[in-house]
Amino acid sequence: MSLTREQMAQRVAQELQDGFYVNLGIGIPTLVANFVPNNMSVMLQSENGLLGMGEFPTEDTIDADMINAGKQTVTTVKGASIFSSAESFAMIRGGHVDLTVLGAFEVDVQGNIASWMIPNKLIKGMGGAMDLVAGAENIIVTMTHASKNGDSKLLSNCSLPLTGKGCIKKVLTDLAWLEIENGAFILKERAPGVSVEEIVEKTQGKLIVPDDVPEMTFS
Amino acid sequence: MAGFDKVVASYEEAMAGLQDNMTILAGGFGLCGIPENLIAEIKRKGSKGLTVVSNNCGVDGFGLGILLEDKQIRKMVSSYVGENALFEKQLLDGELEVELTPQGTLAEKMRAGGAGIPAFYTATGVGTPVAEGKETKQFHGREYLLEEAITGDFAIVKGWKADRYGNVVYRHTAQNFNPLAATAGKITVVEVEEIVEVGELDPAHIHTPGIYVDRVVLGTFEKRIEKRTVTPTE
């Protein structure tokens, strides 16, 4: 069985460490916040200028001046700070954020990522994604392994215009956990009940399959 | 006091001198912290051919979106656009030009512009369409892009409180691009919710020092929420 969105978020959350500053993109990455272990402190960075993002407000505390990068109304946690967009991207570009999680259309064996532009469709813009992938050391891309038509999104060369070049080392799909090294995807873990054969079939770029590929475990 | 008194009595006075084809830097992220009344004044004046530098372009009927109604904007420099149908239509019809700029690069372009730095190198955008036509250089074995700073004829800024000298503080995440735009306008106009006496704001807590600010105007604000998300209470 391929992973649900919640399971994907849960798997990413296993990569969190106590004391991490984390930037979560829109979509599945946002759900990671729901799976932070209880014994762990993690501070969420939102690139519009907030470090220490909290839950959504209640109707009584909603405030138009308090939003996240997805333009949703939010709150702050104790110990949060608020700053300008330049300061926010200094944190991101300066490599101060410990983990960045974001979605993508395609990744390839060179660690290239395409996530913002489909030619001949309306192009809305890259927002902060190019800064995030260029600035972060530790990035996890979350995406489905293949499109609805069955086309692989793990390629030898991205076909879409790039968001960043050579910056991705870890990918979680609905089928597998993979790392990118020396021009190849390395299959590290598979989703429970998903066969290595299925992953091989749905991976267009060079894939290295170790002798033992464990199933992911969820507590 | 008069020499440093930046307060003007009306929005008309606040935007005096704005002409066709000028470049305007605007603060705001989505609809948060946008100078909504200064934008409305630009619409009332009817200035045309404007280049607007702003992270986003408002929505249909609010924020910078209202300047599309009479085709006042010739070019947008933004990181994310297209939350409005009118924007999409004018773009596809070729009536509007867009220069998509990574968000951090956009912020840094304004910061550099205000700080007298003409250009800077960044890793953001290397190997992407953003890099087309731009100079690159290696530092410590990594490739970087040369990005030029941005300045504007006007900066339009939304603050929370200002004193008469133009010292400004912002409220929560309504800060965003506002302090950066404020530094990079030839004429910087700040609209605020409250004007206080000089000395009332803690000098250590000023976000934008008055040296950057030319005009301060007092307004009332709708503060529209783009995505209202709440935690349900029992």
Side-chain angles (χ1 to χ4, degrees):
Chain A
M1 278 284 287
S2 57
L3 299 180
T4 63
R5 289 161 57 86
E6 282 71 25
Q7 285 175 315
M8 288 178 71
Q10 216 177 334
R11 177 60 191 86
V12 171
Q14 293 173 7
E15 301 298 304
L16 296 170
Q17 291 178 26
D18 198 20
F20 258 21
Y21 297 102
V22 180
N23 184 294
L24 300 176
I26 291 165
I28 292 165
T30 303
L31 301 176
V32 174
N34 301 335
F35 297 100
V36 179
N38 286 333
N39 58 350
M40 207 178 264
S41 298
V42 163
M43 196 76 97
L44 299 177
Q45 205 257 17
S46 191
E47 63 266 25
N48 58 314
L50 167 59
L51 186 61
M53 176 168 58
E55 294 180 346
F56 294 149
T58 60
E59 283 290 351
D60 299 343
T61 58
I62 199 163
D63 188 332
D65 290 336
M66 194 64 246
I67 67 165
N68 65 14
K71 290 149 194 170
Q72 298 170 313
T73 45
V74 292
T75 57
T76 54
V77 298
K78 219 180 258 185
S81 54
I82 292 174
F83 33 81
S84 76
S85 300
E87 184 82 47
S88 182
F89 281 94
M91 293 173 192
I92 290 166
R93 296 167 165 224
H96 304 280
V97 175
D98 297 301
L99 175 66
T100 292
V101 186
L102 79 175
F105 301 142
E106 299 173 344
V107 292
D108 71 25
V109 296
Q110 303 302 327
N112 297 329
I113 172 172
S115 67
W116 72 285
M117 176 181 179
I118 299 176
N120 304 320
K121 282 204 182 171
L122 180 73
I123 295 156
K124 292 195 168 193
M126 68 292 282
M130 286 190 183
D131 304 284
L132 283 160
V133 296
E137 260 303 302
N138 190 12
I139 304 169
I140 299 172
V141 170
T142 59
M143 60 196 280
T144 53
H145 208 97
S147 72
K148 289 199 180 82
N149 307 329
D151 297 327
S152 179
K153 298 180 178 180
L154 284 81
L155 307 173
S156 47
N157 276 299
C158 285
S159 66
L160 296 168
L162 298 185
T163 308
K165 200 173 122 182
C167 43
I168 306 302
K169 294 184 192 123
K170 297 174 189 169
V171 183
L172 176 73
T173 73
D174 53 341
L175 304 181
W177 175 268
L178 307 105
E179 294 185 6
I180 300 173
E181 240 175 76
N182 302 321
F185 296 108
I186 298 163
L187 182 55
K188 291 284 183 182
E189 296 172 23
R190 56 202 168 87
V194 170
S195 68
V196 168
E197 290 69 31
E198 182 181 354
I199 295 164
V200 169
E201 187 203 329
K202 290 184 173 165
T203 306
Q204 187 264 321
K206 184 178 175 188
L207 178 69
I208 293 173
V209 182
D211 292 340
D212 178 37
V213 182
E215 282 191 356
M216 292 173 200
T217 52
F218 298 97
S219 47
Chain B
M1 167 146 165
F4 291 114
D5 191 352
K6 310 287 174 72
V7 176
V8 297
S10 69
Y11 274 89
E12 198 177 345
E13 223 180 309
M15 291 309 293
L18 179 67
Q19 290 167 14
D20 290 354
N21 305 314
M22 278 186 163
T23 295
I24 298 172
L25 313 181
F29 183 96
L31 299 180
C32 182
I34 59 169
E36 54 180 80
N37 301 298
L38 293 169
I39 294 166
E41 173 61 17
I42 296 169
K43 181 172 171 65
R44 195 196 62 78
K45 270 179 93 89
S47 312
K48 294 262 166 77
L50 300 171
T51 295
V52 178
V53 182
S54 167
N55 190 53
N56 315 94
C57 191
V59 295
D60 285 320
F62 196 65
L64 289 168
I66 66 171
L67 300 184
L68 298 169
E69 293 163 4
D70 301 317
K71 299 180 182 168
Q72 291 176 265
I73 302 176
R74 184 184 64 79
K75 181 179 175 182
M76 281 302 301
V77 181
S78 304
S79 85
Y80 194 84
V81 290
E83 296 290 324
N84 22 10
L86 197 51
F87 188 96
E88 187 177 336
K89 185 183 178 305
Q90 291 185 14
L91 189 64
L92 295 173
D93 291 349
E95 294 171 325
L96 180 65
E97 191 189 331
V98 181
E99 185 177 326
L100 291 172
T101 304
Q103 198 176 130
T105 297
L106 186 63
E108 194 65 15
K109 276 171 173 265
M110 290 195 210
R111 199 195 70 79
I117 296 166
F120 56 92
Y121 283 100
T122 177
T124 301
V126 169
T128 78
V130 167
E132 281 165 25
K134 288 175 187 158
E135 210 178 290
T136 61
K137 189 169 174 173
Q138 300 268 335
F139 294 93
H140 312 294
R142 190 173 180 194
E143 191 179 349
Y144 293 81
L145 277 190
L146 187 64
E147 291 279 8
E148 287 186 29
I150 295 180
T151 56
D153 299 295
F154 271 81
I156 55 174
V157 170
K158 159 68 178 51
W160 178 27
K161 295 177 185 180
D163 64 22
R164 303 191 72 88
Y165 284 9
N167 294 306
V168 182
V169 293
Y170 304 97
R171 190 167 174 277
H172 303 330
T173 59
Q175 180 174 170
N176 56 62
F177 282 85
N178 279 297
L180 312 169
T183 64
K186 281 195 196 90
I187 298 174
T188 290
V189 188
V190 184
E191 61 169 327
V192 293
E193 296 171 44
E194 190 181 348
I195 295 175
V196 302
E197 289 310 315
V198 171
E200 268 188 50
L201 299 174
D202 183 337
H205 291 169
I206 304 288
H207 290 122
T208 294
I211 192 168
Y212 296 111
V213 176
D214 298 285
R215 301 169 189 169
V216 174
V217 61
L218 182 65
T220 54
F221 298 84
E222 179 186 333
K223 293 195 188 181
R224 199 179 287 188
I225 293 174
E226 204 164 341
K227 290 179 190 163
R228 173 180 284 268
T229 44
V230 294
T231 303
T233 42
E234 293 303 307

